[in-house]
Amino acid sequence: MAAAWAGETELDGLSRLTVGAGLPVRDVAVLRAACRYLAQVGLGLSRGYVEETVLGAPDFARALLANFAARHDPDAADPATAASAAEHLAELLTRTTSLDADRILRGLRDVLAAVVRTNRYQVDATGSPRPALALKIASAQLDLLPRPRPEVETFVCSPRMEGLHLRGARVARGGLRWSERPEDFRTEVLGLVKAQMVKNAVIVPAGAKGAFVVREDLRGLDRAAVQERVAGAYRTFVDALLDVTDDRDGDRVVHPARTVVHDGDDPYLVVAADKGTATFSDLANEVAERRGFWLGDAFASGGSSGYDHKVMGITARGAWVSVRRHLRELGVDPDGPLTAVGVGDMSGDVFGNGMLLSDELRLVAAFDHRHVFLDPDPDPARSAAERRRLFALPGSSWDDYDRSVLSPGGGVHRRDAKSVPLSPQVRARLGVDAEELSPAELVRAVLRAPVDLLWNGGIGTYVRAAEETDAQVGDRANDAVRVTSGELRCRVVGEGGNLGLTQRARIEAARAGVALNTDFIDNSAGVDTSDREVNLKVLLAGVPRAERDAVLRAVEDEVATSVLADNALQARALSVCAAQAPFLLDRHAQLIGDLERHGLDRDLEVLPSEAEVERLRQAGAGLTRPEAAVLLAHSKNLVREELLRSDLPDDPSVAGVLAAYFPRAVRERWPDRVAAHPLAREITATQLANDLVNRVGPGFLLRLEERHGVPTPVAAHAYMVATQVLDLDPVWARVDDVPLAVERLALPELQAATERTADRLLQAHPDPAALTAAAPALAAVVAGLDPAAWLDRPGAAGDRARALQAELAAAGRRRRGRLRRPARERAGPLHRRPRAGHVRPRRRPGPGVRGGGGAAPAGADRGLTAAGAPQRARSGPGRGSPPVRTAGRPGRGSRPAAAVGPGPRRSAARGSGRRVRSAS
């Protein structure tokens, strides 16, 4: 009773174990936490029933806690005692008489056996216990968990809050959100961390995600009081996570005090803002700095000393890069008039910033959880100005929209209204006949509207596949408004928010002709920016705070440019995959098989089975952009892992990759700090993997490995040397700034030239040291070639070079005359850095990759497949578009195109001169 009065425990059924079985309050808290965790993983039994089962087995409870103490109590830890207790538990389980009791007790045993760290035995300076219990669980070893299983998760339990943090790897990052789903917040966060794992392919850490719930009753409290309770729960959550995280003292890893560690060193924990915690980064950093955590205010990105994503508009700008790409490929001017519907309101970061990126945007309808906004024929200039006003108005909603700006028939309607009357203008715009609809029916009509763009900047899953049920989607709050992918009538989907569509819905929509990627592709700019901020802060540790903050502000533009370039190059890589999808199907099937052998679950990732691949083959189809996006991300993650297991990231020949990652002012002023960065290997491997996969596709490395019998790092090394010998970086840079017609001609030539050269290098120099040694002399030979002489050369080779030059020049003139070239995105005065579509990427070194896709192998010629047979003229379902090929990155490393098929090999740049020489 004293502990409950002091707020150290709670009174529930399990409290009887203290009174009736004599178990200490803090030990009962361990059982309570395990029971609560079991409820989150979907045990399917009520909390009361679970408690009664535990109360009916006091001997089992004692043995379970004895085993836990023998493993985790620093004053009593003993492997022999733990083993004996485990045997006793197994014997007690044989005495259970019901299946439910066995499931519950066995589940409790397995959960606590998977705990690798806990703060149960930690105390503060006064000897008091920690305010919340933390159990760090090796969930990858826990068979009772549904898939996907993260590598580790930390469950935090206290009388005032509960929380769960899931990590896909030791070095992982992701946001912490306030959840309002107390019964199943693990389900909520599991879907998010799955998306985060593939989204984080562009950054150093793997994916992570956390969620917490406030257990106090918030009903009747004003907004300030609610915010205070939520902030308090957030602090408790963060503090408990750090309780079971290692620290660093220079190069030495320091384990937490009074903690038995069963999982090795684990000092990297980074968090970020999320739903309900957008302003909490400073709170998290206060906790980290108070504890003296080695990352300091790099622990939580953003905050007063970090990059404000809403001010930068970076997530929306990154997603807009994908939207512009889709529109250009559809032949639509991205800077011209566009009709759109959206999910969200102007106070939100992603929705609000996205709806300010074009003054020509005609937002005809939108909704959030409070209102439905309708403006059937908006005036572009006036509506853009009003959206900008709402964006600047703190806490605005659609109800604040100036009704005088609305077009005839427009309005703003509450979601809790009984019904909404529809004007003739609205009925015509939404394509409905009914004169009134319920709010839920109206939201569905908005989602089905025939417009250019559906922009998702909100929270929730609104589109499922026809074969899926609402229960399978796992978002009960939006069951009433969800539509199927076949009902979509938009041309393009931009996924600024997470999980707006299920993956099956994306695939169905893509096969029906809707242009879209995935959420983890479109909105990756946010995590990319945060990771660059964290790595800059780590590099600048020890620099006076004011000076460091000034440096961060000074390089913010360059950071944003690099981030948006990553978005552009990933989007272009997917365009290559989509345009060549039928030809690349066999390569993609090979890649899926290879990734499966390394842990990919094709059912979970909604990738086609072998039988489905055969059906696609017979239909002359291939993978969609959403499916290719999964392959792209998993290929990058796998290549990064294999590079990290090698010594390639430490090779002096790749030092430029690490340096190019950081802004110019930083790397020039602090070269020694760059070289000694604690995450130098991880940054190098991540950049190499991204540059390589984006440039030459996820199949490049696998093909080199199979032909030459070399491991991934050696194949990647060959790619880098080939790029250096041919001096391709200036060519890749040029291709980043050309019309689509030129890009489609240039990319296959660049990719084929890279692969042919890498092939010959490996034939002649299979040893990595020999590869490095050969590069300078070969580069000197290439530099001595005269492009004019090559173009003047008689015979077939000269004819081909001249023909390619003419084709490229004609394509450039033709496209410029037909469609205005993409300009920098437009934005209102609140956007300090309005650039998204037209990005001048930074230079960086390149690498190579695995799986299906990539350039045509050496020897492939015009009209021939990789095997030299005539290329089959096939196109994807409903898509008669010509092949869209893709390229890479300027400077020392790239990040463009994915798997391209063979087809005609053409020159790699507009016009003649050195660039044509390099590609040829």
Side-chain angles (χ1 to χ4, degrees), residues 470-486:
D470 287 324
Q472 289 174 315
V473 172
D475 176 24
R476 287 176 291 182
N478 291 298
D479 284 353
V481 300
R482 192 170 298 117
V483 300
T484 63
S485 56

Side-chain angles (χ1 to χ4, degrees), residues 862-881:
R862 186 183 297 266
L864 300 182
T865 66
Q871 186 174 345
R872 288 176 286 177
R874 301 189 301 186
S875 61
R879 308 282 188 128
S881 58

Side-chain angles (χ1 to χ4, degrees), residues 146-160:
R147 298 176 301 165
R149 295 176 190 146
E151 180 169 315
V152 67
E153 53 193 278
T154 301
F155 186 64
V156 176
C157 186
S158 84
R160 294 183 175 84

Side-chain angles (χ1 to χ4, degrees), residues 728-745:
L728 291 182
D729 286 334
V731 192
W732 289 110
R734 187 68 175 272
V735 175
D736 284 335
D737 193 25
V738 297
L740 284 176
V742 176
E743 176 188 286
R744 292 168 179 171
L745 293 172

Side-chain angles (χ1 to χ4, degrees), residues 651-711:
D651 194 300
S653 66
V654 302
V657 178
L658 177 63
Y661 171 82
F662 292 99
R664 179 181 297 276
V666 172
R667 64 178 182 261
E668 290 180 349
R669 183 175 175 184
W670 290 287
D672 293 340
R673 285 177 176 261
V674 169
H677 196 287
L679 295 173
R681 298 186 85 256
E682 288 80 3
I683 292 171
T684 300
T686 301
Q687 294 304 108
L688 288 176
N690 273 274
D691 292 343
L692 193 155
V693 177
N694 284 336
R695 268 191 176 181
V696 292
F700 178 91
L701 287 186
L702 183 60
R703 293 193 298 277
L704 290 184
E705 292 168 20
E706 290 180 341
R707 290 179 202 143
H708 302 283
V710 297

Side-chain angles (χ1 to χ4, degrees), residues 173-174 196 198-206 268 272 301-302 307 309 312 314-315 318 520-536 556 558-570 636 640 661-663 683 686-687 690-691 694 842 844 889 895:
R173 74 173 308 279
Q196 198 76 32
V198 282
K199 181 190 300 186
N200 282 20
V202 298
I203 67 174
V204 172
Y268 189 91
S301 56
Y307 294 139
H309 289 201
M312 293 176 73
I314 194 65
T315 304
F520 63 81
I521 291 291
D522 285 357
N523 64 36
S524 63
V527 299
D528 199 351
T529 302
S530 294
D531 193 51
R532 289 172 185 271
E533 175 196 325
V534 168
N535 290 329
L536 279 168
E556 184 176 324
E558 190 174 348
V559 168
T561 299
S562 297
V563 166
L564 296 177
D566 289 341
N567 278 80
L569 297 167
Q570 283 201 124
K636 290 178 178 181
R640 175 176 59 190
Y661 171 82
F662 292 99
I683 292 171
T686 301
Q687 294 304 108
N690 273 274
D691 292 343
N694 284 336
R842 283 179 30 212
R844 73 179 39 112
R889 217 26 229 238
R895 355 177 99 48

Side-chain angles (χ1 to χ4, degrees), residues 373-375 382-383 385-387 389-390 393 397-407 410-412:
F373 165 83
L374 301 171
D375 192 7
R382 295 186 68 203
S383 61
E386 180 62 6
R387 290 198 301 274
R389 184 185 72 83
L390 289 189
L393 180 65
S397 73
W398 285 121
D399 197 39
D400 295 307
Y401 199 93
D402 184 349
R403 304 309 198 266
S404 68
V405 178
L406 293 172
S407 58
V412 177

